[in-house]
């Protein structure tokens, strides 16, 4: 596959705020311009799952018949600033692909993330799944990081509901490759890490999701 050069509007400030609404992840490192000056790279950074869904939205799975994504994993190497110039180099291997995400915001591009996606062809119609909304109230303030996370922080549940209308506006091609339940699972990961555990000013380092 040819390298993917993401449109600059994919990661601008307006889209950043919309992704916070879609995911329910209002961590200050993503949306607080003043607060972000005191942590990490000094500016708000793009949600990791925004990078993941932006990639899935743009890739073309290399089959002539329908495909189902069965596994997604990723490693985040470097925060990407809001407004950054992002590209992806795709390498296909069998029933999977590896995407190398680069930040080209400066004169010296740097590797920001690596994502692995596995998929399988199918003769069955793809199930998008029901549209449903999150039952939990949208929290706007993340939990404070606790160095000694207790049992209350380690256990719990999250709704996988998705605002399907906003999802389709932001990522119109994602539901050609993922169901609403799968997409909701990825968005819930952002909400879990950014708002619940660990919470305040926390970041993904890596993730792995198997869809069954």
């Amino acid at each position: 596959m040819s390298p993917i050069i993401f449109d600059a509007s994919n990661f601008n400030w307006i889209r950043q705020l919309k992704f916070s609404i879609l995911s329910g992840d209002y961590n200050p490192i993503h949306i607080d311009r003043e607060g972000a000056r005191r942590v990490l790279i000094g500016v708000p950074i793009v949600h990791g799952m925004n990078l993941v869904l932006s990639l899935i939205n743009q890739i073309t799975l290399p089959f002539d018949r329908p495909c189902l994504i069965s596994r997604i994993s990723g490693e985040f190497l470097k925060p990407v600033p809001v407004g950054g110039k992002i590209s992806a180099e795709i390498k296909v291997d069998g029933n999977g692909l590896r995407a190398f995400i680069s930040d080209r915001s400066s004169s010296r591009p740097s590797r920001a993330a690596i994502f692995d996606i596995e998929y399988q062809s199918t003769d069955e119609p793809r199930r998008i799944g029901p549209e449903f909304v999150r039952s939990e109230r949208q929290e706007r303030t993340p939990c404070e990081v606790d160095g000694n996370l207790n049992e209350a922080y380690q256990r719990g549940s999250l709704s996988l509901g998705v605002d399907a209308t906003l999802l389709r506006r932001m990522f119109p091609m994602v539901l050609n490759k993922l169901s609403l339940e799968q997409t909701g699972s990825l968005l819930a990961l952002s909400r879990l890490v950014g708002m619940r555990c660990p919470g305040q000013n926390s970041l993904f380092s890596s993730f792995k999701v198997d869809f069954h």
Side-chain angles (χ1 to χ4, degrees):
M1 291 185 180
S2 301
I4 296 173
I5 306 298
F6 293 99
D7 189 280
S9 64
N10 278 33
F11 307 108
N12 64 20
W13 185 247
I14 293 176
R15 193 172 177 87
Q16 180 79 353
L17 297 178
K18 288 182 177 179
F19 190 85
S20 290
I21 296 171
L22 180 66
S23 65
D25 183 356
Y26 297 93
N27 198 303
I29 60 172
H30 298 305
I31 61 172
D32 184 347
R33 285 170 164 161
E34 293 298 323
R37 293 179 180 178
R38 298 187 292 271
V39 296
L40 295 173
I41 60 177
V43 295
I45 60 177
V46 174
H47 297 78
M49 285 301 155
N50 191 353
L51 292 173
V52 174
L53 290 180
S54 294
L55 173 68
I56 294 173
N57 189 60
Q58 293 200 216
I59 60 174
T60 300
L61 299 183
F63 285 115
D64 294 329
R65 54 184 178 173
C67 297
L68 296 174
I69 290 179
S70 56
R71 174 180 295 174
I72 304 175
S73 61
E75 182 179 4
F76 298 100
L77 307 175
K78 174 183 176 291
V80 173
V82 173
K85 299 177 181 178
I86 308 302
S87 66
E89 179 185 353
I90 309 295
K91 294 186 177 181
V92 179
D93 182 15
N95 285 356
L97 61 84
R98 170 164 282 194
F100 299 92
I101 309 298
S102 295
D103 178 6
R104 299 178 177 275
S105 303
S106 66
S107 58
R108 301 181 64 179
S110 57
R111 184 67 49 78
I114 301 174
F115 301 135
D116 290 294
I117 298 176
E118 295 181 19
Y119 42 80
Q120 58 190 33
S121 61
T122 177
D123 292 320
E124 299 180 0
R126 183 180 54 84
R127 295 188 305 104
I128 292 180
E131 293 195 14
F132 55 111
V133 297
R134 291 202 294 275
S135 58
E136 61 195 15
R137 184 170 62 89
Q138 284 240 22
E139 297 289 347
R140 297 300 183 99
T141 304
C143 296
E144 294 287 344
V145 173
D146 185 343
N148 298 305
L149 294 177
N150 57 32
E151 186 174 352
Y153 281 86
Q154 296 175 16
R155 296 183 180 182
S157 62
L158 287 174
S159 168
L160 304 185
V162 181
D163 182 338
T165 300
L166 180 57
L167 174 66
R168 290 188 175 99
R169 287 175 181 170
M170 294 188 68
F171 306 103
M173 302 303 294
V174 159
L175 292 182
N176 291 342
K177 303 146 195 171
L178 292 172
S179 70
L180 278 173
E181 294 97 329
Q182 290 174 318
T183 308
S185 297
L186 296 177
L187 292 170
L189 282 178
S190 184
R191 193 160 67 257
L192 172 64
V193 172
M195 300 295 289
R196 295 275 189 95
C197 180
Q200 183 84 7
N201 296 328
S202 58
L203 288 175
F204 265 120
S205 58
S206 63
F207 72 97
K208 180 177 179 181
V209 180
D210 289 291
F211 296 117
H212 299 290

